[in-house]
Amino acid sequence: MAKIAPGVGPRHPQVVVLFGATGDLARRKLLPGLWHLCNAGYIPDCRIIGVSLEDIGVERFRSLTREAVNASSLRKDSDGEWNGFAERLDYVPLSAGAAALKAAVTAAEAHFDGEHRRLHYASVPPNAALSTVRLIAEAGLVERSRIIMEKPFGTDVASAKALNAHLHEVFDEDQIFRIDHFLGKEPAQNILAFRFANGLFEPIWNRNFIDHVQIDVPETLDLGRRAGFYESTGAYRDMVVTHLFQILAFMAMEPPATLDPKSISEEKNKVFRSLLPIESTHVVRGQYAGYRAEPGVDPESDVETFVALRCSIDNWRWASVPFYLRTGKCMADGQRIISIAFREPPKSMFPANSGVGAKGPDHLTFDLADASKMSLSFYGKRPGPGMRLDKLSLQFAMHDTGYVGDVLEAYERLILDAMRGDHTLFTTAEGIERVWEASTPLLDDPPPVRMYPKGSWGPNAIHQLIVPHAWRLPFERIWRDPNRLGE
Ligand code: BG6
């Protein structure tokens, strides 16, 4: 296995205490991610203690982890590598209590010489977050530790404030890492590089040139094993308050003074402060047909599995530029795009039937898939006599570079950052509380849910919401396939 450059990983050995270790996220992302970080040499020395409600022993936890690694990880295990990793895993059922947890951490730490750190990962639903923090305090495991808190962080402004206040009774702010895995995605960070490392785009990144913005994250996924979680959250809390607003902040923020965590957080928080309250009249809530019959779902559930909304950032850069956000489960396609529509020219000298403007405005589109893509579309002349115009595009795909194999999965990147104490890609108490505050009108008075068929793009009302514009998805012209260039 290739060794990683010094300085990329944490300086000290780590004990990871993973709360919610048998849950959906742990199986799909966290355990496979830890496996990769350990085996690829990112973490010099690491022991992992799983904690969850399930009354299982360490051997069952190890086999469950191996199943998770094989099911989710692109990098399959070999027996030799697996045995080395399995030996680092331990398990404590929640019912064993604080003393047993402390004993397991002490035993893990006995493997290290010299200085080491603890990383608690609270991969638990919002209603279990506080009891997890209390358990850590009761077990005396706060010292030398950091804690990653999973989203959604609270369920409204009051619960987010209460959670922050309780957290601060136990942890200092610099020990707390509120995770939003969309910020760990390479393409999300690439938005910052694209905007601030080039002189070309930033001058047109404002209301004078940009007409409107779409952040669209449809998913084909259904609830899987998450009905219980989903019934207490819904699409707005699960995706918008967290991921979509965080992406919006990267897209909309002012240039930070430096790339240090404080400067970036401050600029993001300014965007959230300028976010106008989300009004119910600008929101479409949807529920896919058949949701109420899913196991674990209330047959009269009013929870939305889809949400589309219009929001505005009330500052000089973005005044009067609408931002349209959409996400949902069981939709027609799985995509994650940011689409920026530019203003059209003030006057056209092209003949009416030339095709100018016929395919919408020029667009800059970011695809936030792990191996990102970007496209800039514009009108150009179709070859031949006369003046017929077509929509053309310049496209970039990370696949065209030799870097695809270097991409760290979002959770891997963020776990590594937390171990190194780097807050740059994490959210702050202020930012989160402000986003909940802006959400209050919607949460207090949500519009009724409208049904949509599975495999569709949401309820019909989404078209009304975006008039006079149109949703970019489904794309009229699909991404160019990098393997078929030149055909
Ligand atoms: C999670 C949500 O945070 O993000 C899920 O809880 C959602 O409902 C997922 O499916 C999407 O993340 P990704 O990385 O698969 O796009």
Side-chain angles (χ1 to χ4, degrees):
M1 183 87 45
K3 284 295 164 211
I4 306 304
V8 174
R11 285 179 32 230
H12 303 294
Q14 306 276 327
V15 175
V16 178
V17 185
L18 177 55
F19 297 88
T22 57
D24 184 70
L25 181 66
R27 288 180 199 227
R28 280 191 306 114
K29 301 286 183 184
L30 307 179
L31 292 168
L34 285 164
W35 147 263
H36 176 235
L37 290 176
C38 288
N39 277 296
Y42 284 100
I43 315 178
D45 212 348
C46 178
R47 320 273 318 171
I48 299 157
I49 301 168
V51 181
S52 88
L53 283 170
E54 283 190 46
D55 245 325
I56 55 174
V58 64
E59 283 315 321
R60 176 71 194 117
F61 180 58
R62 287 178 180 161
S63 61
L64 195 145
T65 303
R66 189 166 197 182
E67 284 159 26
V69 166
N70 284 333
S72 300
S73 176
L74 296 175
R75 307 113 177 163
K76 302 284 175 217
D77 62 305
S78 71
D79 278 349
E81 284 172 338
W82 171 256
N83 293 337
F85 181 72
E87 188 272 315
R88 301 165 183 231
L89 299 175
D90 196 0
Y91 184 80
V92 179
L94 259 184
S95 57
L101 181 58
K102 171 81 180 185
V105 171
T106 310
E109 288 174 340
H111 290 268
F112 305 142
D113 299 325
E115 231 182 298
H116 48 265
R117 297 276 182 277
R118 298 161 179 162
L119 180 69
H120 304 293
Y121 196 127
S123 174
V124 297
N127 58 8
L130 265 184
S131 53
T132 303
V133 171
R134 289 198 191 105
L135 176 64
I136 296 169
E138 193 189 332
L141 295 173
V142 176
E143 206 189 319
R144 294 193 308 284
S145 80
R146 300 185 172 111
I147 182 165
I148 299 184
M149 300 293 296
E150 253 308 324
K151 50 110 261 195
F153 193 86
T155 50
D156 56 17
V157 67
S159 58
K161 282 188 174 167
L163 183 52
N164 276 325
H166 286 298
L167 256 181
H168 288 146
E169 285 168 12
V170 175
F171 291 100
D172 292 334
E173 182 63 20
D174 66 1
Q175 291 177 285
I176 304 169
F177 292 76
R178 297 173 193 81
I179 197 165
D180 187 306
H181 80 277
F182 267 48
L183 296 183
K185 290 178 186 281
E186 282 288 342
Q189 299 158 58
N190 214 10
I191 298 172
L192 299 184
F194 186 83
R195 289 189 56 195
F196 304 131
N198 301 294
L200 183 56
F201 304 104
E202 202 44 34
I204 57 168
W205 212 260
N206 58 52
R207 65 190 301 275
N208 298 325
F209 298 91
I210 293 179
D211 184 73
H212 68 276
V213 177
Q214 296 181 28
I215 301 180
D216 205 355
V217 186
E219 296 184 287
T220 52
L221 287 179
D222 58 16
L223 299 187
R225 305 189 311 148
R226 304 169 74 218
F229 165 81
Y230 211 74
E231 274 284 279
S232 61
T233 47
Y236 185 78
R237 290 181 170 94
D238 182 36
M239 293 292 288
V240 178
V241 175
T242 51
H243 307 321
L244 272 62
F245 280 151
Q246 292 297 327
I247 293 295
L248 179 143
F250 267 14
M251 189 276 155
M253 71 192 220
E254 297 299 316
T258 67
L259 272 190
D260 73 284
K262 277 211 169 57
S263 308
I264 293 187
S265 294
E266 178 50 21
E267 294 309 334
K268 278 170 59 197
N269 289 349
K270 280 198 230 153
V271 173
F272 296 141
R273 269 179 242 144
S274 305
L275 186 65
L276 289 178
I278 311 295
E279 300 296 342
S280 296
T281 45
H282 296 158
V283 178
V284 175
R285 288 169 73 233
Q287 191 184 79
Y288 65 78
Y291 173 75
R292 292 175 187 177
E294 300 270 15
V297 171
D298 177 349
E300 292 180 12
S301 175
D302 187 39
V303 166
E304 79 283 350
T305 60
F306 169 99
V307 64
L309 61 91
R310 188 175 91 203
C311 62
S312 308
I313 301 170
D314 194 20
N315 63 15
W316 276 42
R317 188 185 281 262
W318 296 115
S320 79
V321 177
F323 285 73
Y324 300 99
L325 276 47
R326 171 170 70 170
T327 185
K329 301 286 185 214
C330 289
M331 293 179 61
D333 199 1
Q335 297 258 358
R336 307 173 192 99
I337 64 154
I338 305 178
S339 169
I340 296 164
F342 290 96
R343 289 193 188 282
E344 298 191 39
K347 180 169 167 51
S348 176
M349 63 291 281
F350 296 95
N353 61 358
S354 65
V356 68
K359 301 231 165 108
D362 301 346
H363 285 113
L364 178 62
T365 309
F366 293 85
D367 182 327
L368 303 180
D370 283 339
S372 57
K373 288 184 285 200
M374 257 177 245
S375 156
L376 181 62
S377 70
F378 55 91
Y379 286 90
K381 184 183 170 302
R382 192 188 291 178
M387 184 53 95
R388 294 277 304 147
L389 301 175
D390 254 346
K391 198 81 182 282
L392 308 173
S393 66
L394 295 168
Q395 294 193 6
F396 162 82
M398 193 56 80
H399 274 293
D400 297 343
T401 69
Y403 297 136
V404 173
D406 296 346
V407 172
L408 274 185
E409 204 279 329
Y411 282 96
E412 296 174 3
R413 159 76 199 238
L414 294 173
I415 289 172
L416 205 57
D417 282 359
M419 286 179 171
R420 298 166 62 234
D422 183 342
H423 277 91
T424 312
L425 298 174
F426 292 84
T427 56
T428 62
E430 183 198 328
I432 285 182
E433 288 174 12
R434 172 63 201 130
V435 164
W436 281 122
E437 197 176 275
S439 306
T440 304
L442 170 65
L443 298 179
D444 284 352
D445 180 25
V449 285
R450 298 163 191 262
M451 294 300 145
Y452 62 97
K454 278 185 175 182
S456 71
W457 290 94
N460 283 335
I462 54 167
H463 302 297
Q464 263 330 101
L465 180 77
I466 201 167
V467 161
H469 315 294
W471 292 98
R472 282 300 303 293
L473 293 176
F475 284 131
E476 266 180 56
R477 291 164 306 282
I478 54 171
W479 291 95
R480 203 170 293 144
D481 179 349
N483 299 319
R484 298 181 55 195
L485 282 183
E487 276 182 16

